[in-house]
Amino acid sequence: MRIASLFARRRWLLLVALLVAAAAYLAIGRAPIVDCAAVGGARPICGLHNPEDLALLSDERTVIVSQYGLAAEPAPGSLALLDLETEAIVVAYPPPGPEPEATEPREGWGDPRCPGPPGRAFSPHGIDLAPRADGALQLLVVNHGGREAIEFFEVLGAAGGWSVAWRGCAVAPEDAFFNDVVGLPAGELLVTHMMSRAGAGWEATRAKFGADTGFVYAWDVERGFRAIAGTQGPLPNGIEASPAGDTFFVNVYAGGELRHYDRGGELLGRVDVAGPDNVSWSRDGRLLVASQRGGLLDMMECLRLREGACAMEYAIVAIDPKDWSRAVLYENEGPPMGGATIAIDVGDGLLIGSFASDRVVRVRR
């Protein structure tokens, strides 16, 4: 009798738990933000598609936007150019119109064994913009579309404006799932491997319980991709290098940390940050971290997004790498945009992007 009673009690507790979870889902689940109106000092610029990562060009008015292809239904994405003065948006790659002619990789850009350009299956994620040793301006792009790879682009400036040209690639190791990339001097790069591509659902679950699912790869043309020992963590996400390129910073998303490593993988320091996504340098020498504060149900709402912007709470946190002091520069939940993944220092404020949004937000500070 006691055993039957115990089982009945457990079934009752399970039912209550399911009802509580359902109630929480209904309470937290929010309709997408479709109104493109300013809220306080935050003004949205709409007409984009999942602007997951951003890079400011030297004219300080043009931004390269990584329009992430993975959302409610996986689809191709693109690189776009956003003019902050006119708010005009131009798709730069793949170019609109007929299928572009196939081009051969250019010598010195990526792996000589690169099979060719990604074409219209292209789906960009993290990006990094930096000059090469030969003076050309290089854009590195994590691509999930058609293949898992780092794509190498050259950014060209002319009287008619900016453009990007595909130059080469480095195809990822089998089962890799990249997130963000940063270039280093002498043609090297670092890229975060977030988790196993084949078992992504299980890996994300393991990460929630603190299991290490990924690490940082280094790449150069002679040695290819190689894991950096000591960089393992639950869902490594954004990555940034020190100005000299001798150390690097990694956002460990499910671990809730920003970590600092030397090039050999020795941990130099760490600081707690909730749900850290991408990271960028501010003009005053601090690291700007997009900190996602929503829970699992918020994330589910964002991943199901089909229009507008998701509403997940976030903060933009500035961290001084010298003493790990921190300051919240901006925080928001709901309109005009949630689910921030990146903030860059522009003009008199911040430009903020999101992985599940039809907009970026400009915040004056």
Side-chain angles (χ1 to χ4, degrees):
M1 180 68 87
R2 285 185 177 179
I3 294 176
S5 176
L6 180 60
F7 279 123
R9 184 169 179 269
R10 285 181 175 173
R11 283 198 300 270
W12 170 248
L13 289 174
L14 177 60
L15 178 59
V16 170
L18 291 172
L19 290 172
V20 169
Y25 178 82
L26 291 173
I28 295 175
R30 286 168 288 204
I33 304 161
V34 294
D35 191 327
C36 196
V39 177
R43 188 173 62 80
I45 301 173
C46 296
L48 292 159
H49 175 74
N50 301 338
E52 202 275 344
D53 206 357
L54 309 169
L56 182 66
L57 289 169
S58 58
D59 62 4
E60 298 194 349
R61 64 177 279 180
T62 308
V63 177
I64 300 177
V65 182
S66 173
Q67 300 201 101
Y68 193 38
L70 302 177
E73 296 178 357
S78 65
L79 297 173
L81 299 171
L82 167 64
D83 188 318
L84 292 175
E85 292 188 11
T86 65
E87 299 186 2
I89 300 165
V90 176
V91 173
Y93 188 90
E99 183 75 18
E101 291 185 13
T103 57
E104 293 296 320
R106 179 170 291 188
E107 184 177 356
W109 293 72
D111 190 327
R113 295 167 296 179
C114 173
R120 298 209 176 277
F122 181 61
S123 180
H125 198 158
I127 62 176
D128 183 64
L129 179 70
R132 289 165 49 98
D134 61 7
L137 186 56
Q138 176 177 273
L139 181 73
L140 298 172
V141 181
V142 169
N143 172 34
H144 303 300
R147 64 188 180 208
E148 190 76 4
I150 304 300
E151 310 290 346
F152 290 67
F153 289 86
E154 184 176 5
V155 181
L156 304 167
W162 298 94
S163 64
V164 299
W166 182 87
R167 298 299 189 216
C169 74
V171 176
E174 186 176 354
D175 201 34
F177 185 80
F178 290 162
N179 187 295
D180 196 18
V181 61
V182 64
L184 298 174
E188 299 171 282
L189 63 84
L190 302 174
V191 57
T192 50
H193 162 62
M194 201 172 192
M195 57 188 166
S196 164
R197 188 177 184 85
W202 170 239
E203 292 286 88
T205 302
R206 292 178 61 238
K208 288 294 183 183
F209 292 94
D212 292 341
T213 60
F215 48 83
V216 176
Y217 275 115
W219 179 91
D220 61 52
V221 70
E222 288 82 18
R223 293 173 289 179
F225 288 102
R226 58 200 184 280
I228 301 178
T231 61
Q232 297 87 346
L235 302 184
N237 198 304
I239 190 166
E240 184 59 274
S242 64
D246 55 343
T247 69
F248 59 94
F249 301 85
V250 179
N251 283 337
V252 183
Y253 187 84
E257 291 183 332
L258 169 67
R259 297 180 185 174
H260 186 197
Y261 293 98
D262 71 12
R263 289 286 303 279
E266 180 181 351
L267 184 63
L268 303 177
R270 65 176 81 194
V271 63
D272 292 340
V273 187
D277 203 289
N278 285 332
V279 55
S280 68
W281 284 107
S282 69
R283 284 172 290 185
D284 64 8
R286 292 185 292 176
L287 292 159
L288 302 179
V289 177
S291 168
Q292 294 177 2
R293 295 176 170 179
L296 177 61
L297 298 179
D298 275 319
M299 180 62 74
M300 290 169 62
E301 286 296 312
C302 292
L303 292 173
R304 281 198 292 263
L305 187 81
R306 295 178 183 276
E307 64 173 346
C310 80
M312 182 166 62
E313 181 184 2
Y314 69 90
I316 305 303
V317 183
I319 298 173
D320 189 328
K322 300 184 183 69
D323 60 8
W324 296 116
S325 60
R326 47 187 289 160
V328 174
L329 303 185
Y330 177 72
E331 54 191 338
N332 187 64
E333 181 177 9
M337 185 192 78
T341 49
I342 181 68
I344 58 173
D345 204 341
V346 297
D348 58 353
L350 301 171
L351 187 69
I352 303 170
S354 169
F355 74 105
S357 174
D358 64 352
R359 67 197 66 189
V360 292
V361 169
R362 195 161 188 181
V363 179
R364 298 189 182 277
R365 60 185 178 92

